[in-house]
Every structure is written in structure tokens, then in C-alpha cells.
């Protein structure tokens, strides 16, 4: 079944839009090298620190990216992310970018065409960079390479909207496995059963571990409705159910999603990013194969859609 809209799959002056080879729920955007180079050259002297310290500069570079790629680019990525049938895209700049700073600037420009970013308490910035390696003493599965990082949505333990998520791969060495695992809520075979379960509308306490630097407990329904469609908030590691019934429900729900035939194991090359609507896409990570010199570095930004 091919659901991709033909009016979006086409060529523009500075980019092309194609169906993602691994999912008919995702688009892939092929940027013209000269356009990416023009944007990076314009901001050669812009530093990530300036973007951290002067928030309005994030929107300035977003506007410059819009000028380079054209208004159609901004309209297209927002249309895709808001469209319940799709809600995600990938693109890459690895052939043109020459530094981690380029990646930070480009990712920031993308996210600020979408909306505003949430403060990431784990890093103390508006974005987080983190590594996955052979050994780690982390208090969550985020950095633990040889465990399945189960399907979840971001922002379950913060008291603010988390509409979208961007992940970008900065570096990777000696990595086999570790694919990004994605599940579109509407492709999950047992969605109706779990969304209509008595526990589905129960407010579950969520608490984060120490590394997240968030001490407040928040309470979320597992399922909720937005624009007449079912959405989800869930992560197994940080849920603190109050009853055996709630715990059994969450365990069964997680196991059902993990075993879904609709899970996509996404290949994301270095210098590439994926952006997802966080209200109906779940994401996780497959386990890596053991290697003493395993190294992967990722960037994460997440936030809210711009007010229309």
C-alpha cells in the first residue's frame, strides 16, 4: 500500500521529496549540496554557544535556511509533520557539513521552522548531545548499548507540550545493530484494544531518574485525543503505576508494541536526521552487537509546534 501523496513527491529548485525506502509513512528529502553549502557558509561564524545564549538567533538561522531552500520547504515539512497519515521525514547533510557545529546549526534551523524547542534539563541546553559506547553506568536505557531501548514517546516526565522530536547522528564507529525502531500508532495491530482499555484514561505518575535533572512528578493518561485522533504518552522506564492492574496493563501494552509487525528499523547514516510527530510516532533502539570500541553520538531536540 502506497499512501504517499503525489503532490508532495516531486522536485523543487533546491530539494527533492521522495518516499522513504523503508516506510510508506515517511518522506525522505534530498537537499541540493549547493543549497546546504550556501546556508553553512552564511553562518560560518555563528557558534552553537551564540545559539544557546541568544535564543532569537535560532529563529534568525531558521529564516536564513528558509530563504536558501525556499518557502516551499518550510511549508512542506510542516505539512508532513501535521499530517496524521505520515508525520515524519528524514534528510541528510553529511556530504557537505564539515563539523559538529554545522550539524548543530542545521538541526536548529530545521526545528525552528517547525516551532519552539523545549529546554533539555539533562544537558542544560535547548538540545542534548549524548554518546553510546561499550560501557556505561547510566540510570536509563538511553546510553546502554546492549539493551533493547523500548518504544516510547518523549516528554512524558515534563510538564510541557512535546509535539515533535528530532534526532541527528553525529558520529558512528564499530557499530553493528542499534537501528532506530519506529512505530506509527495507526499501524499497531492492537491499538483499539489498548486505547479503549479501562486503564487507558487513568493518569499514571511519571518520574525521571537523577540524570534527567527533573524532580517534578507528572501525571499522564496513556492515551488521549487530539484533532479527533488517538495519541499516546508512554515510556516504560519512568512510569510509576499505583496498582497491579495498571502495571499489568503497561507491561502488556509495551510487549504488544515491541512485537508489532509494523515496527520499522530505520537506517540513519552519519550526518542524517529524522523528525517525527511525537504524539503518534513511538521510537526506540535495537540493541548493538558487542564491540569494545563502539561509539555513536547523537543530537536530540524536541519541542512544540509553532502557533498558527
Amino acid at each position: 500500500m502506497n499512501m504517499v501523496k503525489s503532490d508532495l513527491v516531486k522536485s523543487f529548485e533546491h530539494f527533492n521529496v521522495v518516499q522513504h525506502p523503508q516506510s510508506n509513512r515517511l518522506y525522505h528529502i534530498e537537499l541540493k549540496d549547493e543549497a546546504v553549502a550556501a546556508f553553512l557558509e552564511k553562518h560560518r561564524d555563528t557558534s552553537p554557544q551564540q545559539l544557546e545564549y541568544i535564543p532569537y538567533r535560532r529563529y534568525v538561522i531558521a529564516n536564513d535556511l528558509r530563504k536558501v531552500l525556499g518557502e516551499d520547504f518550510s511549508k512542506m515539512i510542516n505539512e508532513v509533520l501535521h499530517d496524521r497519515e505520515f508525520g515524519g521525514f528524514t534528510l541528510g547533510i553529511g556530504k557537505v557539513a564539515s563539523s559538529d557545529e554545522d550539524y548543530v546549526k542545521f538541526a536548529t534551523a530545521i526545528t525552528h521552522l517547525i516551532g519552539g524547542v523545549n529546554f533539555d534539563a539533562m544537558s542544560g541546553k535547548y538540545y542534548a548531545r549524548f554518546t553510546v559506547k561499550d560501557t556505561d553506568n547510566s540510570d536509563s536505557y538511553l546510553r546502554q548499548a546492549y539493551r533493547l531501548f523500548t518504544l516510547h514517546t518523549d516528554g512524558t516526565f515534563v510538564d510541557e507540550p512535546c509535539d515533535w522530536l528530532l534526532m541527528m547522528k553525529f558520529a558512528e564507529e564499530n557499530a553493528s545493530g542499534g537501528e532506530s525502531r519506529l512505530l506509527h500508532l495507526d499501524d499497531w495491530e492492537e491499538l483499539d484494544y489498548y486505547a479503549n482499555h479501562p486503564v487507558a484514561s487513568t493518569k499514571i505518575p511519571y518520574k525521571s531518574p537523577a540524570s534527567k535533572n527533573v524532580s517534578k512528578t507528572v501525571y499522564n493518561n496513556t492515551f488521549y485525543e487530539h484533532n479527533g485522533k488517538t495519541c499516546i504518552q508512554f515510556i516504560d522506564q519512568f512510569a510509576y503505576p499505583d496498582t497491579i492492574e495498571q502495571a499489568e496493563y503497561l507491561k502488556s501494552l509495551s510487549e504488544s508494541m515491541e512485537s508489532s509487525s509494523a515496527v520499522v528499523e530505520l537506517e540513519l547514516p552519519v550526518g542524517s536526521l529524522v523528525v517525527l510527530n511525537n504524539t503518534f510516532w513511538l521510537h526506540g533502539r535495537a540493541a548493538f552487537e558487542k564491540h569494545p570500541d563502539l561509539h555513536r553520538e547523537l543530537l536530540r531536540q524536541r519541542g512544540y509546534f509553532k502557533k498558527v
Side-chain angles (χ1 to χ4, degrees), residues 195-229:
N196 292 297
H197 191 282
V199 179
S201 58
T202 300
K203 291 194 177 297
I204 303 293
Y206 280 87
K207 305 175 186 180
S208 65
S211 67
K212 305 299 184 183
N213 297 320
V214 177
S215 59
K216 183 178 180 179
T217 300
V218 299
Y219 299 83
N220 291 319
N221 299 351
T222 304
F223 292 96
Y224 63 99
E225 189 172 292
H226 179 66
N227 292 334
K229 298 288 187 177

Side-chain angles (χ1 to χ4, degrees), residues 11-289:
S11 296
F12 296 83
E13 182 180 0
H14 298 298
F15 63 96
N16 301 320
V17 183
V18 300
Q19 179 178 339
H20 197 282
Q22 291 186 268
S23 173
N24 59 8
R25 294 283 194 182
L26 297 172
Y27 290 92
H28 179 66
I29 305 169
E30 301 169 338
L31 302 176
K32 302 292 178 65
D33 290 351
E34 58 270 23
V36 176
F39 167 77
L40 294 176
E41 176 62 27
K42 183 174 180 60
H43 286 282
R44 177 188 294 181
D45 297 327
T46 300
S47 70
Q49 186 181 73
Q50 289 173 314
L51 299 177
E52 293 164 26
Y53 289 3
I54 310 173
Y56 70 71
R57 294 195 66 153
R58 306 168 198 169
Y59 288 102
V60 171
I61 67 168
N63 190 45
D64 286 336
L65 182 63
R66 179 167 56 185
K67 290 176 181 177
V68 167
L69 294 178
E71 184 65 31
D72 284 335
F73 178 80
S74 179
K75 290 180 179 178
M76 185 273 301
I77 62 173
N78 279 281
E79 180 179 342
V80 167
L81 290 174
H82 284 273
D83 192 327
R84 176 67 182 221
E85 294 296 315
F86 308 101
F89 64 86
T90 62
L91 60 81
I93 62 167
K95 292 189 297 182
V96 180
S98 60
S99 68
D100 290 357
E101 289 196 356
D102 287 345
Y103 291 155
V104 172
K105 288 181 279 192
F106 187 84
T108 298
I110 292 288
T111 57
H112 285 74
L113 290 176
I114 298 167
V117 294
N118 295 338
F119 176 74
D120 199 308
M122 186 181 80
S123 66
K125 303 177 181 179
Y126 72 92
Y127 65 91
R129 288 176 61 175
F130 55 90
T131 59
V132 179
K133 54 186 180 180
D134 180 53
T135 58
D136 183 76
N137 295 318
S138 174
D139 55 8
S140 78
Y141 292 159
L142 179 65
R143 296 187 179 92
Q144 295 185 20
Y146 306 122
R147 292 179 179 269
L148 173 69
F149 190 8
T150 45
L151 292 163
H152 61 282
T153 60
D154 269 26
T156 56
F157 56 84
V158 295
D159 190 18
E160 58 186 333
C162 188
D163 298 327
W164 54 262
L165 168 73
L166 176 146
M167 295 177 288
M168 187 171 194
K169 187 178 291 185
F170 275 31
E172 187 168 75
E173 298 171 359
N174 305 305
S176 180
E179 296 85 0
S180 295
R181 302 177 73 247
L182 309 178
L183 177 62
H184 190 290
L185 197 59
D186 294 343
D187 293 334
W188 177 27
E189 299 87 345
E190 296 187 286
L191 170 62
D192 288 344
Y193 170 77
Y194 286 98
N196 292 297
H197 191 282
V199 179
S201 58
T202 300
K203 291 194 177 297
I204 303 293
Y206 280 87
K207 305 175 186 180
S208 65
S211 67
K212 305 299 184 183
N213 297 320
V214 177
S215 59
K216 183 178 180 179
T217 300
V218 299
Y219 299 83
N220 291 319
N221 299 351
T222 304
F223 292 96
Y224 63 99
E225 189 172 292
H226 179 66
N227 292 334
K229 298 288 187 177
T230 300
C231 298
I232 188 168
Q233 291 178 295
F234 172 72
I235 184 168
D236 58 0
Q237 298 171 66
F238 310 144
Y240 283 75
D242 293 318
T243 67
I244 291 175
E245 180 189 20
Q246 293 172 14
E248 291 287 355
Y249 168 77
L250 295 177
K251 177 176 181 291
S252 177
L253 173 148
S254 182
E255 290 174 346
S256 173
M257 292 192 297
E258 295 300 330
S259 62
S260 172
S261 63
V263 171
V264 176
E265 294 204 339
L266 185 72
E267 298 174 5
L268 194 67
V270 171
S272 295
L273 58 82
V274 57
V275 185
L276 299 170
N277 187 310
N278 188 59
T279 69
F280 54 81
W281 273 100
L282 297 112
H283 64 282
R285 187 188 65 230
F288 289 90
E289 293 183 17

